Amino acid sequence: MYKSLVATFAGTALTVLASAAASAHGGEAGPVKQTASKPSGRPPAKSREKEGLPDWSGTWKVKGSMALISTENDRIFQRGLRDKAPFKPEWRALYEDEAARAEDQGNMQSAHPLVDSNTVYCHAGMPRLVATPFDYNFVPTRDLTFIIVGGPGGEPRFIYTDGRSFPAEDEMWPKFWGWSIGKWQGDTLVTETRGVKPGLWLDPTPMKLSDQAIVYERIRRLDAKTMEDRVRIVDPVAFTAPWEFVRHYEQIPAGEWADEHEICGGPEDRNPVVNGRVTVVLPKQPDGGAASPP
Amino acid sequence: MKNPITKAALLVCLAITAASGQAHHSFAMFDQEKVITLHGTVKEFQWANPHSWIQVMVPGEGAKVTEWSVEMSGPGGLARKGWKPRTLKQGDKVTIVIHPLRDGGPGGSFVSVVLPSGETMGGDQFRVAK
């Protein structure tokens, strides 16, 4: 399965990259690397060491909706009010069908509910990590930038800035967080992520990418209280055109303690997924009867 | 006897949505279009990861008492809104506003509570506030 995926991936990667380069993200930068099939290398990154790293200290929260594109009222399941990715017709049809099923993910009477992949795996993965309800810590170091989403127990992203290329095609496989490399353009971190596990929801609705998607980002600090991530997703299988959006993060007051990531499962999780549905565990009623509608 | 449960089917124009406080699971099982006000007594305040819960005993017709389960966001988010592990205590008389379960069961997602002191506290909906 992986061999097939990787072969398909590699076969289109350079085409995708060429397309991406022609319409550079934000009109400022193209892909980080165009050497998808080169083996790993690790040249030193002395220039960044000389320049120093930007100050991204503090803890941050996404501003606005967790949906990747905000709506006027944030009601994510109200179809027709929400912008969507530029899906090809067959992918849009799939999305519409699954969005309807997703509305029933807590409905025990529904025959075919669809449960959020974040619930199933207890991890968001990429590119959903761009916008979650959790804390963000952006930690640049010389060779590797960490984006820690969710504090202790959360999901850390690893973006390598040591000059490496992506692994050779037969050394990559789909990951929740994909494979990310980056380079510095001034105080902007320009990243590229490939090899994201297909089928993950991109936000609280079942938007999905193919296994050939590439996620480009430009991450920078706009001002003392604002971080910005400009995202551009190229998916030649699912999209008719690149999909671009911007998310901002606001700094939470200094002195706050790191939030603890939400832990799925265990006896304190009263929302188990049962028979493909998100459930609510209700206690027995005082008269000994089962919980029932009033 | 005054009905302690006041139901109102409202068009929710607030920025309180299915995404409110949502994290590891969807809140689609709750009806975001409706709000219910519960008048009852706290049985237990479960300050827990991944989600906190208020168990509240609500008197109904006659001697019938129903235990309602009110789901909140996690402790971290609540703490930043001023909540503490002992903000609610067993025996507290409270008024709680929730979005009820779609299946009609005695449960819902938390919107706000009026404490015995008269103070009103909200949840973790700041994350989607416009």
Side-chain angles (χ1 to χ4, degrees):
Chain A
M1 176 180 162
Y2 284 161
K3 283 185 178 178
S4 170
L5 169 67
V6 170
T8 306
F9 182 103
T12 58
L14 292 179
T15 302
V16 171
L17 288 169
S19 169
S23 53
H25 177 57
E28 298 175 31
V32 176
K33 289 287 179 184
Q34 298 189 30
T35 52
S37 60
K38 282 188 177 180
S40 302
R42 193 180 182 286
K46 295 296 185 185
S47 58
R48 190 67 224 174
E49 188 175 37
K50 288 180 181 176
E51 294 173 7
L53 295 161
D55 177 10
W56 289 354
S57 59
T59 300
W60 308 79
K61 284 284 191 187
V62 170
K63 295 175 69 174
S65 170
M66 297 307 112
L68 289 181
I69 290 183
S70 297
T71 64
E72 290 183 0
N73 62 3
D74 282 332
R75 289 166 61 186
I76 58 175
F77 284 116
Q78 187 159 336
R79 281 167 285 160
L81 288 180
R82 184 175 183 281
D83 289 331
K84 303 180 185 72
F87 284 126
K88 291 181 177 178
E90 62 272 26
W91 282 74
R92 179 171 298 283
L94 174 66
Y95 171 71
E96 295 292 346
D97 175 64
E98 293 194 333
R101 293 172 56 201
E103 293 180 58
D104 276 344
Q105 59 188 296
N107 182 356
M108 299 303 286
Q109 279 70 52
S110 173
H112 303 290
L114 185 68
V115 175
D116 191 336
S117 63
N118 193 23
T119 304
V120 174
Y121 295 116
C122 206
H123 287 103
M126 276 293 289
R128 187 168 180 171
L129 281 177
V130 170
T132 78
F134 302 116
D135 289 353
Y136 285 73
N137 292 95
F138 300 89
V139 187
T141 70
R142 189 192 67 173
D143 294 337
L144 173 61
T145 291
F146 303 94
I147 300 178
I148 302 169
V149 185
E155 296 182 65
R157 294 182 59 191
F158 289 66
I159 301 166
Y160 292 93
T161 54
D162 57 2
R164 73 179 62 189
S165 304
F166 286 109
E169 58 187 71
D170 61 350
E171 296 175 359
M172 290 179 70
W173 62 91
K175 295 181 178 181
F176 279 86
W177 301 274
W179 306 68
S180 297
I181 58 177
K183 65 182 180 183
W184 290 97
Q185 290 183 351
D187 284 343
T188 299
L189 180 60
V190 182
T191 79
E192 179 174 338
T193 300
R194 304 183 188 181
V196 173
K197 180 182 174 67
L200 301 177
W201 292 24
L202 273 65
D203 72 0
T205 67
M207 286 195 296
K208 298 174 181 176
L209 299 175
S210 80
D211 55 18
Q212 295 176 43
I214 301 178
V215 181
Y216 302 102
E217 297 169 87
R218 296 180 62 85
I219 304 168
R220 61 176 178 156
R221 187 170 187 167
L222 283 183
D223 54 45
K225 295 186 176 180
T226 311
M227 290 284 298
E228 178 186 83
D229 189 355
R230 305 187 72 86
V231 183
R232 181 171 184 268
I233 301 175
V234 175
D235 189 335
V237 175
F239 291 171
T240 58
W243 184 33
E244 299 185 12
F245 52 87
V246 182
R247 304 305 294 175
H248 290 106
Y249 310 84
E250 57 189 344
Q251 196 170 44
I252 67 172
E256 295 275 9
W257 291 83
D259 198 354
E260 182 180 58
H261 196 65
E262 293 191 359
I263 307 299
C264 298
E268 293 178 320
D269 186 351
R270 292 177 55 182
N271 300 107
V273 176
V274 178
N275 296 328
R277 297 162 182 82
V278 181
T279 60
V280 175
V281 176
L282 300 176
K284 285 190 175 181
Q285 291 301 311
D287 60 5
S292 59
Chain B
M1 175 181 177
K2 182 181 177 183
N3 188 343
I5 302 174
T6 305
K7 294 184 178 181
L10 301 175
L11 291 175
V12 180
C13 299
L14 305 173
I16 299 170
T17 74
S20 299
Q22 169 187 318
H24 89 282
H25 70 80
S26 165
F27 272 47
M29 62 282 224
F30 301 114
D31 190 342
Q32 308 292 327
E33 303 290 325
K34 294 181 181 176
V35 292
I36 286 178
T37 301
L38 305 174
H39 304 279
T41 303
V42 174
K43 175 186 177 185
E44 192 172 45
F45 181 34
Q46 300 172 359
W47 184 261
N49 185 338
H51 291 271
S52 296
W53 293 80
I54 304 170
Q55 299 301 127
V56 58
M57 308 304 291
V58 179
E61 298 298 330
K64 183 175 174 60
V65 176
T66 301
E67 180 173 355
W68 283 73
S69 299
V70 181
E71 183 163 12
M72 310 176 81
S73 56
L78 290 174
R80 291 192 181 141
K81 297 295 288 182
W83 284 82
K84 299 176 182 177
R86 288 183 55 78
T87 294
L88 289 174
K89 295 177 285 296
Q90 185 179 20
D92 281 353
K93 305 292 185 186
V94 293
T95 298
I96 302 180
V97 178
I98 64 171
H99 294 301
L101 278 167
R102 292 182 189 277
D103 67 7
S109 61
F110 178 79
V111 176
S112 66
V113 62
V114 180
L115 303 176
S117 65
E119 180 185 3
T120 298
M121 296 191 72
D124 195 18
Q125 287 110 5
F126 70 95
R127 287 167 174 159
V128 293
K130 283 287 189 180

